[in-house]
């Protein structure tokens, strides 16, 4: 049997301590990278210790939240997960999570829980041979890094074809790009949303994959939940949405507090609270429930786990600054941004906005995506908006084109300064403030806030 | 010239967008939004017609044609339809001086053909260029080019992301000269194409929001005006242009620094 020597583990760990103490960040992937340099099969060797196998979750949007919801469910089901909770989701991050969990030559945990970058799924799956794979959605995102959606979907299809029959594949029935990639494979579970109350009549502009993957015809939708997800059928061939066996029904949205949903499973249905807002988080909750069902976790544990889940670092998080609540919501691609915009404009009131657009590698260097997101939703409700980040001016211009008066738009590239000004302005104006940063802007903002003691750093928070 | 016009209360820009639901991968909608809103700010009317599979085009019914970029599969599917139902009208429109703006995949489709993996896809053949595959990575990054317009040198800033390498043939002129970035093929220092009022370019980002001078230039050509359009309050537009230029210089500067370091070691 493969193993990793204590010396290598110790060396890699020391690198992590060094990285943290030098203030260079959480060291959430560097130790793992060092370990993989010393031993290429370290992930496989360490993962072999996990008694109950591993779950791999991939998607364009919602990986971190879905994994976090499933983590909460697993704890209720008395399965202690080894989880890359800080969101480092390539080989280095996964190796680091396993490294952090190993003590005295053993990995301390029952089950692996790994969110994996879309482009790394095949590599990680080959290493750890998971029990369950969740593939939740593919949206237009960072074309400079991932290339085109079809290419990613084709890659996942090949990956599934190579899996052993024992692996459960959990797919989103509502995503026409993914629903067909398992063919007629046994041991495949579909999840979806059955309630059309919050659905939109036609796909938004940013929706891709509105065409049948088999014959190229335009799909016909009877309901669009978000992006290109919904109830669809091809008018030309027999491709249609599969019936989901795990589904959300009778959804009731409660603003920023979250939603209440009924989850239907083959072994019965139950009601549960989802303590994070937006229809996109209903998808994340049902995906987590479907994975838990594939792991034979009881409905009681699923419901309790979802209801007690905590917000994930910056995904939808409310932080208190000077006694004022600021809601922090990550934006990173058109469909994700649209869902955030739908969520914050669901009420009627006016609010202030802080938007930070960075173009670092982790954000995607190409910022054209802001023209595909429907910032027009904001027009009637924004009192003042501050645009920040490395491409602040381009964000500001996009908002002007969305119909927000130019006098209401401020530009300040400095993340910390501009945020302080926004918070001050929203306190004086008695207006709620939403902060919408891209990924590296979020890290920078979070770093600034925690240096000043307003919130814990992300790696501390993730440790619980 | 005697046939040139001046702006009037009746001025309307008639735009024809080709396959807008498929050929839109690099936020092409932003280019159409800019045309529409600049028309409104200049006091012109604006008419947008979308043409899709099977639709024919009346070459006299539009002043400006827009073709964006799509995913590989989408482009293969529309290429065939475009040759069958739209090629002759577009060629007529191009000959008569109508404006055609083609970005990224749309640009490749203007030419004789483009290569995709081991396939060759025939284009419209209304501009003498071809797009081939060569060993090497996709050409991705911020890009700035210099364009000569009415005797002035101006800049266009944007983002490029293409696997194909485009070469101009015959008497085709490039749209501009690469200041930073790759351009048509990463070798000859040229970017895009211009023939009469047909413009092709790899610059998205999208192109027109951060280069509004070019949007106004296209409006002038499409509406056949004798004079430049009057300036608007473009403070935010100018800041966005500077931001895109800065991004391109930053990545360019980084590359040359890296090259120096590699050279020194």
């Amino acid at each position: 049997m493969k193993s990793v020597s204590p010396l290598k583990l110790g060396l890699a760990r020391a690198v992590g301590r060094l990285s943290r103490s030098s203030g260079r960040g959480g060291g959430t992937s560097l130790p793992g990278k060092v370990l993989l340099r010393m031993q290429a099969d370290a992930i496989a060797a360490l993962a072999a210790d996990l008694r109950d196998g591993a779950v791999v979750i991939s998607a364009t949007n919602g990986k971190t939240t879905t994994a976090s919801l499933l983590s909460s469910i697993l704890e209720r089901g008395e399965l202690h997960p080894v989880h890359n909770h800080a969101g480092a989701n390539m080989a280095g991050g996964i190796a680091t999570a396993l490294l952090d969990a190993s003590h005295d030559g053993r990995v301390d945990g029952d089950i692996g829980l790994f969110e994996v970058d879309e482009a790394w799924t095949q590599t990680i799956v080959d290493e750890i041979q998971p029990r369950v794979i969740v593939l939740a959605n593919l949206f237009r995102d960072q074309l400079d890094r991932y290339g085109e959606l079809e290419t990613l979907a084709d890659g996942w299809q090949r990956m599934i074809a190579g899996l052993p029959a024992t692996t459960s594949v959990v797919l989103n029935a509502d995503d026409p790009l993914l629903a067909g990639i398992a063919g007629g494979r046994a041991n495949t579970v579909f999840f979806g949303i059955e309630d059309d109350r919050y659905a939109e009549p036609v796909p938004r502009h940013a929706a891709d994959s509105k065409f049948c993957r088999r014959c190229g015809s335009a799909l016909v939708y009877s309901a669009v939940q978000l992006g290109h997800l919904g109830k669809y059928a091809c008018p030309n061939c027999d491709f249609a949405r599969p019936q989901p066996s795990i589904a959300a029904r009778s959804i009731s949205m409660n603003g920023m507090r979250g939603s209440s949903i009924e989850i239907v499973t083959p072994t019965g249905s139950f009601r549960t609270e989802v303590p994070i807002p937006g229809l996109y988080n209903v998808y994340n909750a049902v995906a987590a429930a479907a994975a838990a069902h594939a792991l034979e976790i009881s409905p009681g544990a699923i419901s309790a786990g979802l209801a007690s889940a905590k917000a994930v670092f910056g995904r939808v998080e409310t932080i208190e600054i000077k006694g004022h609540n600021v809601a922090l919501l990550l934006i990173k691609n058109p469909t994700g941004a649209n869902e955030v915009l739908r969520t914050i404009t669901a009420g009627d009131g006016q609010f202030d906005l802080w938007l930070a657009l960075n173009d670092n590698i982790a954000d995607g260097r190409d910022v054209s995506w802001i023209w595909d997101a429907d910032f027009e939703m904001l027009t009637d409700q924004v009192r003042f908006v501050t645009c920040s980040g490395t491409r602040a001016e381009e964000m500001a211009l996009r908002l002007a084109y969305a119909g927000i008066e130019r006098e209401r738009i401020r530009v300040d590239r400095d993340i910390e300064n501009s945020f302080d000004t926004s918070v001050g302005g929203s306190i004086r104006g008695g207006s709620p403030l939403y902060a919408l940063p891209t990924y590296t802007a979020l890290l920078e903002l979070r770093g600034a806030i925690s240096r000043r003691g307003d919130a814990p750093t992300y790696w501390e928070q993730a440790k619980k | 010239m005697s046939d040139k016009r001046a702006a009037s209360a009746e001025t309307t820009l008639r735009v024809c967008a080709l396959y807008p639901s498929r050929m839109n991968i690099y936020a092409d909608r932003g280019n159409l939004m800019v045309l529409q809103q600049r028309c409104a700010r200049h006091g012109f009317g604006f008419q947008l017609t979308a043409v899709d599979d099977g639709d024919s085009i009346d070459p006299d019914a539009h002043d400006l044609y827009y073709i964006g970029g799509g995913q590989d599969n989408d482009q293969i599917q529309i290429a065939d339809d475009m040759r069958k139902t739209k090629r002759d009208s577009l060629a007529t429109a191009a000959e008569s001086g109508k404006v055609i703006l083609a970005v990224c995949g749309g640009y490749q489709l203007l030419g004789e053909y483009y290569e995709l993996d081991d396939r060759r896809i025939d284009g419209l053949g209304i501009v003498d260029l071809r797009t081939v595959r060569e060993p090497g990575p996709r050409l991705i990054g911020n890009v700035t080019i210099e364009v000569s317009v009415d005797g002035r040198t101006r800049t266009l800033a944007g983002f490029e992301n293409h696997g194909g390498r485009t070469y101009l043939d015959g008497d085709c002129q490039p749209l501009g000269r690469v200041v930073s970035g790759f351009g048509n093929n990463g070798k000859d220092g040229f970017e895009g194409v211009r023939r009469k009022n047909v413009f092709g370019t790899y610059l998205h980002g999208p192109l027109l929001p951060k280069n509004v001078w070019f949007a106004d230039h296209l409006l002038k050509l499409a509406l056949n005006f004798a004079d430049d359009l009057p300036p608007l309050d473009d403070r935010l537009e100018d800041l966005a242009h500077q931001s895109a230029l800065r991004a391109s210089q930053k990545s360019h500067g980084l590359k040359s620094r890296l090259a120096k370091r590699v050279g020194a070691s």
Side-chain angles (χ1 to χ4, degrees):
Chain A
M1 208 171 121
K2 295 175 209 163
S3 67
V4 186
S5 76
L7 178 67
K8 288 175 184 169
L9 294 175
L11 265 171
R13 240 183 234 120
V15 170
R17 274 196 301 274
L18 217 63
S19 162
R20 267 168 218 172
S21 65
S22 69
R24 282 169 180 248
T28 53
S29 67
L30 185 63
K33 281 187 200 159
V34 171
L35 183 63
L36 289 169
R37 267 291 177 82
M38 294 186 286
Q39 185 169 340
D41 69 352
I43 290 178
L46 292 171
D49 268 0
L50 296 163
R51 190 193 63 198
D52 288 291
V55 182
V56 159
I57 297 170
S58 196
T60 306
N61 288 342
K63 307 182 269 292
T64 306
T65 301
T66 302
S68 160
L69 293 170
L70 184 56
S71 167
S72 179
I73 295 171
L74 292 173
E75 297 283 3
R76 294 287 169 153
E78 296 183 351
L79 283 172
H80 178 60
V82 173
H83 174 196
N84 56 335
H85 37 53
N89 57 20
M90 303 182 204
I94 287 147
T96 303
L98 286 161
L99 172 67
D100 284 349
S102 20
H103 303 289
D104 308 322
R106 271 204 57 81
V107 173
D108 184 13
D110 304 315
I111 186 165
L113 170 55
F114 303 116
E115 67 155 285
V116 178
D117 182 275
E118 302 90 286
W120 280 82
T121 318
Q122 176 84 63
T123 311
I124 300 302
V125 163
D126 287 347
E127 287 295 306
I128 62 180
Q129 297 168 11
R131 254 174 90 189
V132 177
I133 299 180
V134 183
L135 301 173
N137 56 62
L138 281 178
F139 298 113
R140 183 185 298 200
D141 181 45
Q142 300 192 20
L143 293 159
D144 55 321
R145 253 186 83 208
Y146 295 113
E148 298 177 351
L149 294 183
E150 298 283 344
T151 316
L152 277 172
D154 289 346
W156 281 1
Q157 183 159 357
R158 284 192 300 273
M159 173 181 80
I160 292 173
L163 291 172
T166 47
T167 304
S168 299
V169 174
V170 177
L171 293 176
N172 190 341
D174 296 354
D175 188 340
L177 197 50
L178 300 183
I181 62 174
R185 184 183 186 275
N187 205 0
T188 300
V189 177
F190 287 98
F191 70 90
I193 290 181
E194 287 290 15
D195 184 351
D196 301 341
R197 207 168 329 169
Y198 297 92
E200 301 184 298
V202 290
R204 284 182 177 272
H205 166 78
D208 283 296
S209 318
K210 296 162 287 193
F211 298 91
C212 177
R213 253 166 74 79
R214 258 179 230 164
C215 74
S217 306
L219 296 171
V220 175
Y221 281 84
S222 62
V224 181
Q225 305 294 358
L226 61 92
H228 59 263
L229 310 188
K231 291 180 179 159
Y232 53 85
C234 177
N236 186 47
C237 71
D238 62 356
F239 177 66
R241 172 188 185 246
Q243 189 60 38
S245 60
I246 315 279
R249 219 163 51 180
S250 53
I251 300 168
S252 141
M253 295 286 198
N254 305 314
M256 290 302 287
R257 286 195 305 280
S259 59
S260 168
I261 61 174
E262 184 183 11
I263 293 183
V264 184
T265 77
T267 53
S269 62
F270 54 90
R271 246 200 124 69
T272 183
E273 301 300 311
V274 181
I276 39 179
L279 197 61
Y280 61 114
N281 281 314
V282 172
Y283 268 114
N284 293 333
V286 189
H293 183 78
L295 292 167
E296 295 171 0
I297 291 172
S298 73
I302 295 176
S303 170
L306 288 176
S308 62
K310 301 229 169 20
V312 190
F313 163 62
R315 262 48 180 196
V316 197
E317 183 184 26
T318 302
I319 49 175
E320 198 186 298
I321 296 178
K322 298 176 189 155
H324 194 62
N325 283 335
V326 181
L328 215 59
L329 299 97
L330 172 74
I331 55 169
K332 57 176 191 173
N333 53 36
T335 295
N338 280 346
E339 292 315 301
V340 164
L341 296 171
R342 264 173 91 184
T343 303
I344 67 174
T345 56
D348 300 321
Q350 289 224 314
F351 51 79
D352 286 3
L353 199 60
W354 178 86
L355 262 162
L357 175 64
N358 271 1
D359 67 347
N360 296 312
I361 288 167
D363 303 295
R365 307 266 315 284
D366 184 357
V367 296
S368 39
W369 66 269
I370 60 173
W371 292 86
D372 280 331
D374 295 333
F375 288 98
E376 285 72 9
M377 281 186 259
L378 293 168
T379 312
D380 296 334
Q381 285 174 269
V382 166
R383 202 180 63 109
F384 285 110
V385 53
T386 301
C387 297
S388 188
T390 52
R391 305 295 283 267
E393 295 87 349
E394 288 162 81
M395 188 70 241
L397 185 64
R398 173 69 187 94
L399 296 181
Y401 271 87
I404 297 174
E405 295 158 44
R406 292 175 183 225
E407 296 71 36
R408 296 174 187 274
I409 305 172
R410 236 174 45 89
V411 175
D412 179 355
R413 281 207 297 276
D414 187 286
I415 297 271
E416 195 169 350
N417 270 338
S418 65
F419 185 72
D420 281 346
T421 314
S422 279
V423 171
S426 77
I427 292 174
R428 279 193 304 281
S431 181
L433 176 64
Y434 293 106
L436 275 49
T438 59
Y439 187 69
T440 66
L442 169 67
L443 295 184
E444 199 178 329
L445 175 66
R446 214 51 172 64
I449 293 170
S450 50
R451 261 200 316 281
R452 303 189 304 198
D454 287 317
T457 57
Y458 70 96
W459 61 90
E460 282 165 2
Q461 183 196 34
K463 294 234 180 246
K464 288 174 226 156
Chain B
M1 277 191 289
S2 58
D3 60 336
K4 293 279 180 188
R5 293 183 295 171
S8 75
E10 289 81 51
T11 304
T12 291
L13 180 77
R14 300 165 306 165
V15 173
C16 176
L18 280 84
Y19 313 94
S21 62
R22 287 190 178 207
M23 299 293 277
N24 65 17
I25 193 153
Y26 292 115
D28 296 279
R29 159 169 91 159
N31 288 325
L32 297 172
M33 285 165 75
V34 168
L35 292 173
Q36 176 171 22
Q37 293 204 19
R38 291 207 75 81
C39 279
R41 291 175 73 194
H42 283 298
F44 309 150
F46 179 84
Q47 237 177 51
L48 179 65
T49 309
V51 296
D52 263 296
D53 281 358
D55 296 342
S56 59
I57 297 176
D58 172 359
D60 294 323
H62 313 283
D63 310 304
L64 189 153
Y65 296 83
Y66 183 78
I67 317 171
Q71 299 202 52
D72 289 344
N73 278 352
D74 289 331
Q75 274 185 210
I76 292 167
Q77 283 178 22
I78 68 133
D80 195 42
D81 177 73
M82 216 170 172
R83 281 192 317 272
K84 281 189 192 133
T85 66
K86 298 168 181 66
R87 194 227 165 252
D88 293 347
S89 301
L90 287 170
T92 307
E95 282 314 311
S96 64
K98 295 294 173 70
V99 173
I100 298 180
L101 174 61
V103 175
C104 207
Y107 168 36
Q108 297 176 335
L109 285 167
L110 289 181
E112 299 298 325
Y113 62 83
Y114 76 95
E115 290 174 354
L116 184 66
D117 303 323
D118 47 3
R119 296 178 63 173
R120 175 179 285 197
I121 290 123
D122 288 329
L124 294 175
I126 59 175
V127 180
D128 207 1
L129 59 84
R130 67 219 141 75
T131 300
V132 299
R133 295 276 147 176
E134 284 170 5
R138 284 183 77 86
L139 306 178
I140 304 177
N142 291 294
V143 52
T144 300
I145 66 172
E146 271 179 3
V147 181
S148 180
V149 177
D150 301 334
R152 279 182 73 188
T153 300
R154 314 213 44 177
T155 56
L156 289 175
F159 198 92
E160 61 183 321
N161 183 349
H162 50 107
R165 271 70 168 166
T166 297
Y167 291 92
L168 310 184
D169 296 320
D171 57 354
C172 261
Q173 295 300 310
L175 174 62
R177 183 177 293 279
V178 176
V179 177
S180 69
F182 300 102
N184 281 342
N185 46 52
K187 287 181 184 161
D188 62 19
F190 293 126
E191 206 291 322
V193 72
R194 174 165 187 185
R195 185 180 155 262
K196 294 198 169 186
N197 289 334
V198 178
F199 297 86
T201 179
Y202 277 118
L203 268 65
H204 67 267
L207 174 70
L208 297 182
K210 49 190 102 190
N211 301 285
V212 282
W213 71 263
F214 191 60
D216 277 5
H217 182 64
L218 295 180
L219 286 182
K220 175 189 166 185
L221 295 174
L223 295 167
N224 204 21
F225 287 162
D227 299 319
D228 283 347
L229 295 172
L232 300 172
D233 175 2
D234 283 335
R235 280 173 294 178
L236 205 46
E237 282 80 355
D238 293 341
L239 286 173
H241 181 68
Q242 295 303 328
S243 165
L245 282 180
R246 211 168 37 237
S248 159
Q249 282 156 2
K250 204 169 75 183
S251 33
H252 184 64
L254 183 69
K255 255 181 259 155
S256 50
R257 278 203 303 282
L258 282 174
K260 265 183 213 153
R261 212 190 287 171
V262 171
S265 66

